Amino acid sequence: MVANNEQKGTLIENIAKFREVGLLGFIIILSVVIQWRNSSFLTLENINDMITNTAILSILAVGMMLVIITRGIDLSIGATLALSGMIAALTVGAFPNLSPILAILLGTLVGLVSGLILGAIISKGGVLPIIATLGMMYIFRGLTFMVSGGQWVSAHQMPESFKGIATGSFLGINNLILIAVLIYVAFYYFINHTRTGRQIYAVGSNPDSAKISGINHDKIIWLVYTIMGGLSGLAGVLWVSKFASAQGDTASGYELTVIAACVLGGVNIAGGSGKISGIILGSVLIGIMNNALPLINVSPFWQTGIQGSIILIAVVLNALVKRGVDMNALMRRRI
Amino acid sequence: MSEFVLELRGITKTFPGVKALDNVQFQLGPGEIHALMGENGAGKSTFIKVITGVHQPDEGQMFLNGKEVNFKNPTEAQKVGIAAIYQHVTCYPDLSVTENIFMGHEKIQKGTRRIRWKEMHEEANRLLKELGASFDAKTIMGTLSVAQQQMVEIAKALSTNAKIIIMDEPTAALSRNESEDLYRITEKLRDSGTSIIFISHRFEDMYRLASKVTVFRDSKYIGSWGVHDIPNEDLIVAMVGREIKQLFPKVETTIGSEVLRVEGLGKTGFFADVSFSLRKGEILGITGLVGAGRSEVCQAIFGVEPADKGKIFVKGVETTIQTPLQAMNKGIGYLPEDRQQQGLILSWGIDKNITLSSLSLISKKGWMNRKKEDEYANHLSKKVNVKTPNVANLVSSLSGGNQQKVAVAKLLMTGLDIIILDEPTKGVDVGAKSAIYEIISNLAAQGYGVIMVSSEMPEVISMSDRILVMREGRITAEIQAKQATQEAILEAAMASKESTEGQSLEASGL
Amino acid sequence: MDQVNKKPFSWKGFFLQWEWMLILLFLVVNVINTNLSPFYLDSVGLRDATMTFLDKAFMVFPMVMIMILRDIDISVSSTVALASVVMAHLYTLGVPMELAVVICLAVGAVCGLINGLLIVRFKELSAVIVTLSTMIIYRGIAYIILEDQSAGSFPEWFGFLGWGYIGGVPFILIAFVVMAVLFGLLLHKTTFGRRIYAIGNNPTASRFSGVQVDKIKILVFTLAGVMAAITALFLTSRMGSTRPNVALGYELDVIAMVVLGGISTAGGKGKMIGAIIAVFLIGFLRYGLGLINMPAQVLMIIIGLLLIVAVMVPNLKPKKKAKGKPPKSQDEQIAG
C-alpha cells in the first residue's frame, strides 16, 4: 500500500511537471504554425519586439503570482503602472538631465508607496482584496489624470536617455530583458531560499496553520501587495520608456493580461502554489499570442475574448484536475 | 526536580455557554505513554489545547519539570518541547515534507539568512527513515496518505526535540498495518525518553501502548490508574458512569409498519453495503467510533451528499434523493451533528431559525406572513421548551442545550415521518440532555420513525429499540436494545484483528 | 413587546443605523453643493441629473442580493456592453427594434445564467475569478461583433427610454422607483429574500434546512444579467448609439453604491434602502461636482475612497470586541 501511494505521489508530481513541459511544447508548436502561416513572425525584429513586451508582462506577473499565492488578487496594478509611469515621465520632462537610473528608482518608489497603502488597507483594514484593489484602481487612475492635468507626455518631451532605458542594451542584451532576468533571479532566490519567501507560500497554503506556526499573517499580506506595487512602479517606467508616451489610460485593463499569464503559468487561484518558471512560460505564451494573432489574420478585436477564454479554461481545467486527484485519494481509502 | 515531566492542577476553561474543563488534573511521568480516555465531548481536545498553549485556562496551574509555566501561544509551548499531533492533520498541502517538518524553525544560514535546504532535506530524510517511512522528504505533502502525513507530523515533533508529544486520536484514520507502524514508532519514542500523551477511543491502542490511563467525563477528571490495575468493565463505567435509568425517560411505543429501508447504500471512500430498515414509532440507534461513516450514511439519506450506490425506499416506494429539499418533501428530517455550523444561523433570531426549513407554511405564493411566522415560532419554541423571554432573541445568546432545542423545533414544523438525529446531545449539559431525551421519546410515541446517531453508549442502549453498529464504513452488528451490552457494542465498533484483515481484502476486491 | 426598559436602547439603535448615516451624508452633500453653486437647487437641473446617473443604478438591486449572498459580480458592465452591442448590431442588420430589445434582455439573462452556472458547478472557483473571466469574455465578444465601430440611429420611440417624461417626471426615474419598490419587496418580504439572507449568513446550515442554494444563486446571477440588459437599454437610448467600450468601469460604481449602502462584504447583512440612498448620494455628488466644473477624475478618486472607507469603518469596530472571544468556532473547541 505504501509503495502504491508513493507511485501515486510521483504521478501527481509528474502532472505538475507536465504542465510546464506541455506549455513549452504548446509554445513551440504554436510558433511553428504561425511561422508557417506568416514568415515574418520569426524575424529578429519581431522576436525582439515580442520579448521586450513579454519582459514587462512577466515582471508584473512575478508580483501578481505572490499576491495570488496568498489567495488575493490585485486589480489596481494597471493604474499603479500608469501613475508611476506618468510621474516618472513628467519628472524627466521637467529635468531632462535626470539620470535614467533615478527615473527608474522614482517610478519604483511611487509604486512601492501605492502598494504600501493598498497592503495596509487589505491587511490592517480588513478590506477584501477585490474591493480594496478596485477602489485603489479608481484612486490611482484619478491621480494619474490629475498630476498630468489630462495631458499626454509624448515622445518629444522625453529625453533620449529616458527612452534609452527600453531601447538600449548592455553587453548586447536589451535592457528590458536584462531587468526582467534580474527580477526573475532575485525573486527566485527570495521565494525559494528565504524564510519570508516560504512564509508567503505557507500563508496561502493554510492560513490557520500559518498562525499556529507563529507566522505574522498580516505582515506577509502587506508585504506581497507592497512588492506588487513596487514591481508595477518599475514596469510603469519601462512601459513609458518603451512606448515613449505616458497617458492617463496607459495600461488600462492590463491587470487582466497579467492574471491570465499567471493562471496559464500554473499559479493556483486558490492560493499556495506557483512557480517563477511557470509564469515566465505563461507570459511568453500570452506575448506570442498578442503578437502573432494579427500576423495570421486574426482580427485584433478577437484578442480580448481569447484572453478571457484562456483564463476561464485554465482555471476550470485546474479545478477538474484537482477533483480527479481528490477522487483518487478517496478510492484509495479502505472501506 | 519533580517526579513528573508535566503536571496540571485544577484546570478550568469556560467557553460562552459551555464549561469545557472543570477543575481537571493530570500527571505525566518521564518516558511514559499515558492514555487519555473519555467519551466524545468529555473535554479531551480542549485539555490538549490548554497544554499546547492554543487556549489559556481560566483557572489552574501547569508545571513543567516542577516549574510553573504559562503559555500565551502555541509557539511558547513548542519552545519548551511540547508538540501535538492533532486529529485532523494541520499541514501545508502545497509544500514539501521538509518544509512541513521545519515550518517555524527552519535552518537558516548565519549572515546570508539563506535557508539551508540541503541540510534540512537530509535531516528530514533521516527523521523519516528513523520512523520507517518510505517516501522522500521532497514529496509534496498533499500527495501523501493520511498515515504518511501523520508520520510527517511525528517527524516534525522530533525535529523540535520535543520532550512531550501529544497524539490526538492518531489511529482514527489508519488501517491495521499503519496502526502497527505507529505503535512501533511510539514505543521507540518512549524508549528514547520522550513522554507521550495518547488520546484514543480504541481500547486496543491503550492496552497495546499505555502504562497509565486517565479518564475524563463531562469535562471533569474521573481518575488515573495503571492500565493493568483496572478491569476493562470498571474502566468503561468510569468513562460512561452515570445513573442510566433516571436519565432516560423512554416511553413504550407500539412499533408500526416500515417507513424507511435502504439497500446496499454506498459512497466511494465513505461507506459501503449499508442496508437497514426503520419502522414507525421505532428509535433506531446507530453507533460506532468517530469516522465510522455514521453521519455520512445519514447525510446520504437526507440528500446532502447523495450516495452513489444502492437504493432508498420510503414507505415501500423506491425514491431518489439528491437534495435535502427532496428528502424533506419525502418526509425525512435531519438534525445535523454540528448545530452551530450546519443546524442553525447563529446571528438570527429563534423565530427565523425555526421557520427556515418550512417557509412555504408561513407564506402565500412566496409572500411572507410575519404574523403566522410568529405564531409558529412561539408555538414550537414552547413545545420543545426553549428557555427565552422572546422568540426574536438571537440564537447565539442561548446555551448549547437550548440551541439544540431550537434545532429540534425546526424539524417539528413540517409533516415529517422520519427524523434523523445526529449526535443530538453533543456539547449539551446534563440537564438539557434529559429534556432532549424526553423530546426524542415523545417523537417516537407520536409515530415518527427516529434514527439516532450517537457515540454515547448508555444513550444508545437506553433510548433505542434496535442498535446498528458501524465500523469503517460498514454495518458490523445489529443488536436488539434489550440484549445490548456496552461490551458487545464496543466489540463490534472496534476492529478485532482477523475481521479487519478480511475486510480490507474484501474492499480491495471492490 | 414595547417594554419601557427597552426604549432608550432602541432609540439609540434606531439612529445608529447605517442608513441614517447615509441620509446625513446625503444632506451634507446637498448643503455643500448648494453653497458651491447657485444653480444646484434648480429643479429642472436636478431632475435631469437623475437621468444621467440612474441607468447604472438598475444593476445595484441584484448586486445587493449577490453581495448578501457573499458573492460578487464584476462582469455586469461587460454584460451591459454585450447586450447593447448585440441589440444595436441586430437593428442595423434589419431586425425590428422591438425584437432587438427582447434579444437584448435575453443576452443579459444568458450572460448572468452562465455566471451562475459556473459559480455553482465549480464551487472551488470564487465568484471573483469566474466573473473576472466572463467580464473579459463578454466584452471580448462585443469587440468581435462591432470591432471599433459604433452602431445606432435607433427609431424615435427608443429614445423615450432615456429622454422621455411622464407628467414632467423622467421616465427613467419612474422606472427606477418602480424597480426599487419591487426589489425591496422581493428582498425583504418574500421567502426568496429570506433564503438569500440565510445563504449569506450560513450557506451550510441553509443547505441542511432544505434551501436550494444553487438554484437561488443561479437565479440571482441571471437577474443581475437581466438588470444589466435593462441598464443597456436606458444607456443606449440616452446615448443614441453604442460601442464595445460602453459602460466601462460601471461595475465599480455599482459595487461602491452597494457597499456604501451598508451591505457587508462578509455577506448576510444590509438593506435595499441603504443602497438606494447611496445611489442618490453618489449621483448628486457627481452632479454637484459637475456644476462647479470639477473634473470627472476627482469623482473617481472620491468614489474609490468612499468604497474603501465604507468597508473599513465597520471592520475596525468589531476587532476590538473580538479580542475577548475565542478565536475559532466554539464547536471545534468543545469537541472531544
Side-chain angles (χ1 to χ4, degrees), chain B residues 104-121:
Chain B
H105 56 280
E106 298 89 345
K107 291 179 185 292
I108 304 286
Q109 183 77 43
K110 285 211 178 67
T112 61
R113 312 285 302 151
R114 182 192 167 98
I115 295 178
R116 284 144 72 180
W117 277 119
K118 209 175 146 220
E119 219 169 296
M120 275 165 56
H121 281 312

mmCIF file with all atom_site columns, all heavy atoms in Angstrom, chain B residues 104-121:
data_model
loop_
_atom_site.group_PDB
_atom_site.id
_atom_site.type_symbol
_atom_site.label_atom_id
_atom_site.label_alt_id
_atom_site.label_comp_id
_atom_site.label_asym_id
_atom_site.label_entity_id
_atom_site.label_seq_id
_atom_site.pdbx_PDB_ins_code
_atom_site.Cartn_x
_atom_site.Cartn_y
_atom_site.Cartn_z
_atom_site.occupancy
_atom_site.B_iso_or_equiv
_atom_site.pdbx_formal_charge
_atom_site.auth_seq_id
_atom_site.auth_comp_id
_atom_site.auth_asym_id
_atom_site.auth_atom_id
_atom_site.pdbx_PDB_model_num
ATOM 1   N N   . GLY B 1 104 ? 8.563  27.145 10.815 1.00 0.00 ? 104 GLY B N   1
ATOM 2   C CA  . GLY B 1 104 ? 8.665  27.828 12.101 1.00 0.00 ? 104 GLY B CA  1
ATOM 3   C C   . GLY B 1 104 ? 10.025 27.679 12.763 1.00 0.00 ? 104 GLY B C   1
ATOM 4   O O   . GLY B 1 104 ? 10.390 28.491 13.607 1.00 0.00 ? 104 GLY B O   1
ATOM 5   N N   . HIS B 1 105 ? 10.792 26.632 12.379 1.00 0.00 ? 105 HIS B N   1
ATOM 6   C CA  . HIS B 1 105 ? 12.147 26.547 12.925 1.00 0.00 ? 105 HIS B CA  1
ATOM 7   C C   . HIS B 1 105 ? 13.115 26.079 11.836 1.00 0.00 ? 105 HIS B C   1
ATOM 8   O O   . HIS B 1 105 ? 13.852 25.128 11.989 1.00 0.00 ? 105 HIS B O   1
ATOM 9   C CB  . HIS B 1 105 ? 12.202 25.633 14.159 1.00 0.00 ? 105 HIS B CB  1
ATOM 10  C CG  . HIS B 1 105 ? 11.692 24.248 13.907 1.00 0.00 ? 105 HIS B CG  1
ATOM 11  N ND1 . HIS B 1 105 ? 10.368 23.930 13.877 1.00 0.00 ? 105 HIS B ND1 1
ATOM 12  C CD2 . HIS B 1 105 ? 12.345 23.090 13.655 1.00 0.00 ? 105 HIS B CD2 1
ATOM 13  C CE1 . HIS B 1 105 ? 10.218 22.647 13.627 1.00 0.00 ? 105 HIS B CE1 1
ATOM 14  N NE2 . HIS B 1 105 ? 11.409 22.108 13.484 1.00 0.00 ? 105 HIS B NE2 1
ATOM 15  N N   . GLU B 1 106 ? 13.051 26.776 10.711 1.00 0.00 ? 106 GLU B N   1
ATOM 16  C CA  . GLU B 1 106 ? 13.921 26.455 9.579  1.00 0.00 ? 106 GLU B CA  1
ATOM 17  C C   . GLU B 1 106 ? 15.389 26.621 9.972  1.00 0.00 ? 106 GLU B C   1
ATOM 18  O O   . GLU B 1 106 ? 15.725 27.384 10.873 1.00 0.00 ? 106 GLU B O   1
ATOM 19  C CB  . GLU B 1 106 ? 13.626 27.388 8.391  1.00 0.00 ? 106 GLU B CB  1
ATOM 20  C CG  . GLU B 1 106 ? 12.225 27.287 7.827  1.00 0.00 ? 106 GLU B CG  1
ATOM 21  C CD  . GLU B 1 106 ? 11.244 28.216 8.506  1.00 0.00 ? 106 GLU B CD  1
ATOM 22  O OE1 . GLU B 1 106 ? 11.574 28.732 9.603  1.00 0.00 ? 106 GLU B OE1 1
ATOM 23  O OE2 . GLU B 1 106 ? 10.152 28.423 7.957  1.00 0.00 ? 106 GLU B OE2 1
ATOM 24  N N   . LYS B 1 107 ? 16.220 25.888 9.265  1.00 0.00 ? 107 LYS B N   1
ATOM 25  C CA  . LYS B 1 107 ? 17.663 26.073 9.468  1.00 0.00 ? 107 LYS B CA  1
ATOM 26  C C   . LYS B 1 107 ? 18.109 27.213 8.567  1.00 0.00 ? 107 LYS B C   1
ATOM 27  O O   . LYS B 1 107 ? 17.966 27.157 7.348  1.00 0.00 ? 107 LYS B O   1
ATOM 28  C CB  . LYS B 1 107 ? 18.417 24.798 9.099  1.00 0.00 ? 107 LYS B CB  1
ATOM 29  C CG  . LYS B 1 107 ? 18.158 23.664 10.069 1.00 0.00 ? 107 LYS B CG  1
ATOM 30  C CD  . LYS B 1 107 ? 18.912 22.426 9.651  1.00 0.00 ? 107 LYS B CD  1
ATOM 31  C CE  . LYS B 1 107 ? 18.565 21.254 10.541 1.00 0.00 ? 107 LYS B CE  1
ATOM 32  N NZ  . LYS B 1 107 ? 19.059 21.405 11.911 1.00 0.00 ? 107 LYS B NZ  1
ATOM 33  N N   . ILE B 1 108 ? 18.617 28.243 9.188  1.00 0.00 ? 108 ILE B N   1
ATOM 34  C CA  . ILE B 1 108 ? 18.975 29.447 8.439  1.00 0.00 ? 108 ILE B CA  1
ATOM 35  C C   . ILE B 1 108 ? 20.486 29.662 8.499  1.00 0.00 ? 108 ILE B C   1
ATOM 36  O O   . ILE B 1 108 ? 21.086 29.552 9.569  1.00 0.00 ? 108 ILE B O   1
ATOM 37  C CB  . ILE B 1 108 ? 18.273 30.694 9.039  1.00 0.00 ? 108 ILE B CB  1
ATOM 38  C CG1 . ILE B 1 108 ? 16.765 30.492 9.075  1.00 0.00 ? 108 ILE B CG1 1
ATOM 39  C CG2 . ILE B 1 108 ? 18.641 31.948 8.275  1.00 0.00 ? 108 ILE B CG2 1
ATOM 40  C CD1 . ILE B 1 108 ? 16.074 30.586 7.757  1.00 0.00 ? 108 ILE B CD1 1
ATOM 41  N N   . GLN B 1 109 ? 21.054 29.948 7.324  1.00 0.00 ? 109 GLN B N   1
ATOM 42  C CA  . GLN B 1 109 ? 22.480 30.254 7.258  1.00 0.00 ? 109 GLN B CA  1
ATOM 43  C C   . GLN B 1 109 ? 22.732 31.585 7.957  1.00 0.00 ? 109 GLN B C   1
ATOM 44  O O   . GLN B 1 109 ? 22.057 32.567 7.678  1.00 0.00 ? 109 GLN B O   1
ATOM 45  C CB  . GLN B 1 109 ? 22.892 30.357 5.789  1.00 0.00 ? 109 GLN B CB  1
ATOM 46  C CG  . GLN B 1 109 ? 24.362 30.592 5.561  1.00 0.00 ? 109 GLN B CG  1
ATOM 47  C CD  . GLN B 1 109 ? 25.148 29.310 5.766  1.00 0.00 ? 109 GLN B CD  1
ATOM 48  O OE1 . GLN B 1 109 ? 24.741 28.250 5.317  1.00 0.00 ? 109 GLN B OE1 1
ATOM 49  N NE2 . GLN B 1 109 ? 26.264 29.409 6.464  1.00 0.00 ? 109 GLN B NE2 1
ATOM 50  N N   . LYS B 1 110 ? 23.680 31.590 8.865  1.00 0.00 ? 110 LYS B N   1
ATOM 51  C CA  . LYS B 1 110 ? 24.002 32.863 9.529  1.00 0.00 ? 110 LYS B CA  1
ATOM 52  C C   . LYS B 1 110 ? 24.603 33.810 8.494  1.00 0.00 ? 110 LYS B C   1
ATOM 53  O O   . LYS B 1 110 ? 25.298 33.392 7.596  1.00 0.00 ? 110 LYS B O   1
ATOM 54  C CB  . LYS B 1 110 ? 25.002 32.624 10.659 1.00 0.00 ? 110 LYS B CB  1
ATOM 55  C CG  . LYS B 1 110 ? 24.351 31.994 11.875 1.00 0.00 ? 110 LYS B CG  1
ATOM 56  C CD  . LYS B 1 110 ? 25.046 32.430 13.179 1.00 0.00 ? 110 LYS B CD  1
ATOM 57  C CE  . LYS B 1 110 ? 24.343 31.834 14.376 1.00 0.00 ? 110 LYS B CE  1
ATOM 58  N NZ  . LYS B 1 110 ? 24.481 30.350 14.445 1.00 0.00 ? 110 LYS B NZ  1
ATOM 59  N N   . GLY B 1 111 ? 24.286 35.076 8.618  1.00 0.00 ? 111 GLY B N   1
ATOM 60  C CA  . GLY B 1 111 ? 24.858 36.046 7.679  1.00 0.00 ? 111 GLY B CA  1
ATOM 61  C C   . GLY B 1 111 ? 23.975 36.234 6.467  1.00 0.00 ? 111 GLY B C   1
ATOM 62  O O   . GLY B 1 111 ? 23.273 37.231 6.365  1.00 0.00 ? 111 GLY B O   1
ATOM 63  N N   . THR B 1 112 ? 23.952 35.251 5.561  1.00 0.00 ? 112 THR B N   1
ATOM 64  C CA  . THR B 1 112 ? 23.163 35.429 4.337  1.00 0.00 ? 112 THR B CA  1
ATOM 65  C C   . THR B 1 112 ? 21.670 35.228 4.562  1.00 0.00 ? 112 THR B C   1
ATOM 66  O O   . THR B 1 112 ? 20.867 35.576 3.700  1.00 0.00 ? 112 THR B O   1
ATOM 67  C CB  . THR B 1 112 ? 23.608 34.435 3.249  1.00 0.00 ? 112 THR B CB  1
ATOM 68  O OG1 . THR B 1 112 ? 23.382 33.110 3.740  1.00 0.00 ? 112 THR B OG1 1
ATOM 69  C CG2 . THR B 1 112 ? 25.071 34.596 2.901  1.00 0.00 ? 112 THR B CG2 1
ATOM 70  N N   . ARG B 1 113 ? 21.288 34.676 5.687  1.00 0.00 ? 113 ARG B N   1
ATOM 71  C CA  . ARG B 1 113 ? 19.885 34.400 6.012  1.00 0.00 ? 113 ARG B CA  1
ATOM 72  C C   . ARG B 1 113 ? 19.262 33.437 5.015  1.00 0.00 ? 113 ARG B C   1
ATOM 73  O O   . ARG B 1 113 ? 18.044 33.388 4.842  1.00 0.00 ? 113 ARG B O   1
ATOM 74  C CB  . ARG B 1 113 ? 19.045 35.695 6.063  1.00 0.00 ? 113 ARG B CB  1
ATOM 75  C CG  . ARG B 1 113 ? 19.619 36.817 6.853  1.00 0.00 ? 113 ARG B CG  1
ATOM 76  C CD  . ARG B 1 113 ? 19.511 36.616 8.348  1.00 0.00 ? 113 ARG B CD  1
ATOM 77  N NE  . ARG B 1 113 ? 18.132 36.446 8.807  1.00 0.00 ? 113 ARG B NE  1
ATOM 78  C CZ  . ARG B 1 113 ? 17.794 35.738 9.868  1.00 0.00 ? 113 ARG B CZ  1
ATOM 79  N NH1 . ARG B 1 113 ? 18.713 35.129 10.566 1.00 0.00 ? 113 ARG B NH1 1
ATOM 80  N NH2 . ARG B 1 113 ? 16.541 35.632 10.242 1.00 0.00 ? 113 ARG B NH2 1
ATOM 81  N N   . ARG B 1 114 ? 20.078 32.676 4.308  1.00 0.00 ? 114 ARG B N   1
ATOM 82  C CA  . ARG B 1 114 ? 19.572 31.745 3.318  1.00 0.00 ? 114 ARG B CA  1
ATOM 83  C C   . ARG B 1 114 ? 19.080 30.483 4.020  1.00 0.00 ? 114 ARG B C   1
ATOM 84  O O   . ARG B 1 114 ? 19.639 30.054 5.023  1.00 0.00 ? 114 ARG B O   1
ATOM 85  C CB  . ARG B 1 114 ? 20.731 31.432 2.372  1.00 0.00 ? 114 ARG B CB  1
ATOM 86  C CG  . ARG B 1 114 ? 20.416 30.522 1.227  1.00 0.00 ? 114 ARG B CG  1
ATOM 87  C CD  . ARG B 1 114 ? 21.728 30.084 0.568  1.00 0.00 ? 114 ARG B CD  1
ATOM 88  N NE  . ARG B 1 114 ? 21.470 28.982 -0.322 1.00 0.00 ? 114 ARG B NE  1
ATOM 89  C CZ  . ARG B 1 114 ? 21.313 29.125 -1.636 1.00 0.00 ? 114 ARG B CZ  1
ATOM 90  N NH1 . ARG B 1 114 ? 21.472 30.302 -2.176 1.00 0.00 ? 114 ARG B NH1 1
ATOM 91  N NH2 . ARG B 1 114 ? 21.032 28.093 -2.393 1.00 0.00 ? 114 ARG B NH2 1
ATOM 92  N N   . ILE B 1 115 ? 18.023 29.880 3.486  1.00 0.00 ? 115 ILE B N   1
ATOM 93  C CA  . ILE B 1 115 ? 17.543 28.615 4.060  1.00 0.00 ? 115 ILE B CA  1
ATOM 94  C C   . ILE B 1 115 ? 18.498 27.503 3.657  1.00 0.00 ? 115 ILE B C   1
ATOM 95  O O   . ILE B 1 115 ? 18.870 27.389 2.489  1.00 0.00 ? 115 ILE B O   1
ATOM 96  C CB  . ILE B 1 115 ? 16.129 28.286 3.549  1.00 0.00 ? 115 ILE B CB  1
ATOM 97  C CG1 . ILE B 1 115 ? 15.141 29.331 4.050  1.00 0.00 ? 115 ILE B CG1 1
ATOM 98  C CG2 . ILE B 1 115 ? 15.698 26.900 4.023  1.00 0.00 ? 115 ILE B CG2 1
ATOM 99  C CD1 . ILE B 1 115 ? 13.735 29.117 3.558  1.00 0.00 ? 115 ILE B CD1 1
ATOM 100 N N   . ARG B 1 116 ? 18.908 26.689 4.635  1.00 0.00 ? 116 ARG B N   1
ATOM 101 C CA  . ARG B 1 116 ? 19.841 25.604 4.292  1.00 0.00 ? 116 ARG B CA  1
ATOM 102 C C   . ARG B 1 116 ? 19.054 24.376 3.873  1.00 0.00 ? 116 ARG B C   1
ATOM 103 O O   . ARG B 1 116 ? 18.873 23.437 4.643  1.00 0.00 ? 116 ARG B O   1
ATOM 104 C CB  . ARG B 1 116 ? 20.743 25.322 5.492  1.00 0.00 ? 116 ARG B CB  1
ATOM 105 C CG  . ARG B 1 116 ? 21.824 26.412 5.618  1.00 0.00 ? 116 ARG B CG  1
ATOM 106 C CD  . ARG B 1 116 ? 22.135 26.747 7.015  1.00 0.00 ? 116 ARG B CD  1
ATOM 107 N NE  . ARG B 1 116 ? 22.893 25.678 7.672  1.00 0.00 ? 116 ARG B NE  1
ATOM 108 C CZ  . ARG B 1 116 ? 23.286 25.763 8.933  1.00 0.00 ? 116 ARG B CZ  1
ATOM 109 N NH1 . ARG B 1 116 ? 23.013 26.839 9.646  1.00 0.00 ? 116 ARG B NH1 1
ATOM 110 N NH2 . ARG B 1 116 ? 23.951 24.781 9.473  1.00 0.00 ? 116 ARG B NH2 1
ATOM 111 N N   . TRP B 1 117 ? 18.618 24.409 2.619  1.00 0.00 ? 117 TRP B N   1
ATOM 112 C CA  . TRP B 1 117 ? 17.736 23.359 2.105  1.00 0.00 ? 117 TRP B CA  1
ATOM 113 C C   . TRP B 1 117 ? 18.367 21.981 2.204  1.00 0.00 ? 117 TRP B C   1
ATOM 114 O O   . TRP B 1 117 ? 17.735 21.018 2.608  1.00 0.00 ? 117 TRP B O   1
ATOM 115 C CB  . TRP B 1 117 ? 17.386 23.633 0.638  1.00 0.00 ? 117 TRP B CB  1
ATOM 116 C CG  . TRP B 1 117 ? 16.271 24.594 0.474  1.00 0.00 ? 117 TRP B CG  1
ATOM 117 C CD1 . TRP B 1 117 ? 16.318 25.808 -0.153 1.00 0.00 ? 117 TRP B CD1 1
ATOM 118 C CD2 . TRP B 1 117 ? 14.926 24.441 0.924  1.00 0.00 ? 117 TRP B CD2 1
ATOM 119 N NE1 . TRP B 1 117 ? 15.098 26.420 -0.112 1.00 0.00 ? 117 TRP B NE1 1
ATOM 120 C CE2 . TRP B 1 117 ? 14.218 25.606 0.541  1.00 0.00 ? 117 TRP B CE2 1
ATOM 121 C CE3 . TRP B 1 117 ? 14.244 23.455 1.627  1.00 0.00 ? 117 TRP B CE3 1
ATOM 122 C CZ2 . TRP B 1 117 ? 12.875 25.789 0.827  1.00 0.00 ? 117 TRP B CZ2 1
ATOM 123 C CZ3 . TRP B 1 117 ? 12.902 23.638 1.910  1.00 0.00 ? 117 TRP B CZ3 1
ATOM 124 C CH2 . TRP B 1 117 ? 12.244 24.807 1.515  1.00 0.00 ? 117 TRP B CH2 1
ATOM 125 N N   . LYS B 1 118 ? 19.644 21.905 1.768  1.00 0.00 ? 118 LYS B N   1
ATOM 126 C CA  . LYS B 1 118 ? 20.287 20.602 1.663  1.00 0.00 ? 118 LYS B CA  1
ATOM 127 C C   . LYS B 1 118 ? 20.294 19.928 3.040  1.00 0.00 ? 118 LYS B C   1
ATOM 128 O O   . LYS B 1 118 ? 19.908 18.767 3.192  1.00 0.00 ? 118 LYS B O   1
ATOM 129 C CB  . LYS B 1 118 ? 21.719 20.787 1.140  1.00 0.00 ? 118 LYS B CB  1
ATOM 130 C CG  . LYS B 1 118 ? 22.192 19.585 0.366  1.00 0.00 ? 118 LYS B CG  1
ATOM 131 C CD  . LYS B 1 118 ? 23.546 19.807 -0.265 1.00 0.00 ? 118 LYS B CD  1
ATOM 132 C CE  . LYS B 1 118 ? 24.301 18.511 -0.278 1.00 0.00 ? 118 LYS B CE  1
ATOM 133 N NZ  . LYS B 1 118 ? 25.697 18.655 0.045  1.00 0.00 ? 118 LYS B NZ  1
ATOM 134 N N   . GLU B 1 119 ? 20.687 20.725 4.016  1.00 0.00 ? 119 GLU B N   1
ATOM 135 C CA  . GLU B 1 119 ? 20.777 20.201 5.370  1.00 0.00 ? 119 GLU B CA  1
ATOM 136 C C   . GLU B 1 119 ? 19.387 19.789 5.882  1.00 0.00 ? 119 GLU B C   1
ATOM 137 O O   . GLU B 1 119 ? 19.223 18.754 6.521  1.00 0.00 ? 119 GLU B O   1
ATOM 138 C CB  . GLU B 1 119 ? 21.314 21.316 6.264  1.00 0.00 ? 119 GLU B CB  1
ATOM 139 C CG  . GLU B 1 119 ? 22.285 20.868 7.303  1.00 0.00 ? 119 GLU B CG  1
ATOM 140 C CD  . GLU B 1 119 ? 22.935 22.084 7.911  1.00 0.00 ? 119 GLU B CD  1
ATOM 141 O OE1 . GLU B 1 119 ? 23.645 22.815 7.179  1.00 0.00 ? 119 GLU B OE1 1
ATOM 142 O OE2 . GLU B 1 119 ? 22.673 22.335 9.091  1.00 0.00 ? 119 GLU B OE2 1
ATOM 143 N N   . MET B 1 120 ? 18.381 20.643 5.569  1.00 0.00 ? 120 MET B N   1
ATOM 144 C CA  . MET B 1 120 ? 17.028 20.353 6.032  1.00 0.00 ? 120 MET B CA  1
ATOM 145 C C   . MET B 1 120 ? 16.491 19.075 5.387  1.00 0.00 ? 120 MET B C   1
ATOM 146 O O   . MET B 1 120 ? 15.868 18.243 6.043  1.00 0.00 ? 120 MET B O   1
ATOM 147 C CB  . MET B 1 120 ? 16.104 21.534 5.740  1.00 0.00 ? 120 MET B CB  1
ATOM 148 C CG  . MET B 1 120 ? 16.155 22.602 6.831  1.00 0.00 ? 120 MET B CG  1
ATOM 149 S SD  . MET B 1 120 ? 15.431 24.181 6.340  1.00 0.00 ? 120 MET B SD  1
ATOM 150 C CE  . MET B 1 120 ? 13.799 23.723 5.849  1.00 0.00 ? 120 MET B CE  1
ATOM 151 N N   . HIS B 1 121 ? 16.743 18.934 4.075  1.00 0.00 ? 121 HIS B N   1
ATOM 152 C CA  . HIS B 1 121 ? 16.295 17.716 3.389  1.00 0.00 ? 121 HIS B CA  1
ATOM 153 C C   . HIS B 1 121 ? 16.941 16.483 4.009  1.00 0.00 ? 121 HIS B C   1
ATOM 154 O O   . HIS B 1 121 ? 16.291 15.474 4.251  1.00 0.00 ? 121 HIS B O   1
ATOM 155 C CB  . HIS B 1 121 ? 16.642 17.779 1.898  1.00 0.00 ? 121 HIS B CB  1
ATOM 156 C CG  . HIS B 1 121 ? 15.696 18.624 1.096  1.00 0.00 ? 121 HIS B CG  1
ATOM 157 N ND1 . HIS B 1 121 ? 14.331 18.516 1.191  1.00 0.00 ? 121 HIS B ND1 1
ATOM 158 C CD2 . HIS B 1 121 ? 15.923 19.597 0.184  1.00 0.00 ? 121 HIS B CD2 1
ATOM 159 C CE1 . HIS B 1 121 ? 13.758 19.386 0.377  1.00 0.00 ? 121 HIS B CE1 1
ATOM 160 N NE2 . HIS B 1 121 ? 14.706 20.066 -0.247 1.00 0.00 ? 121 HIS B NE2 1
#
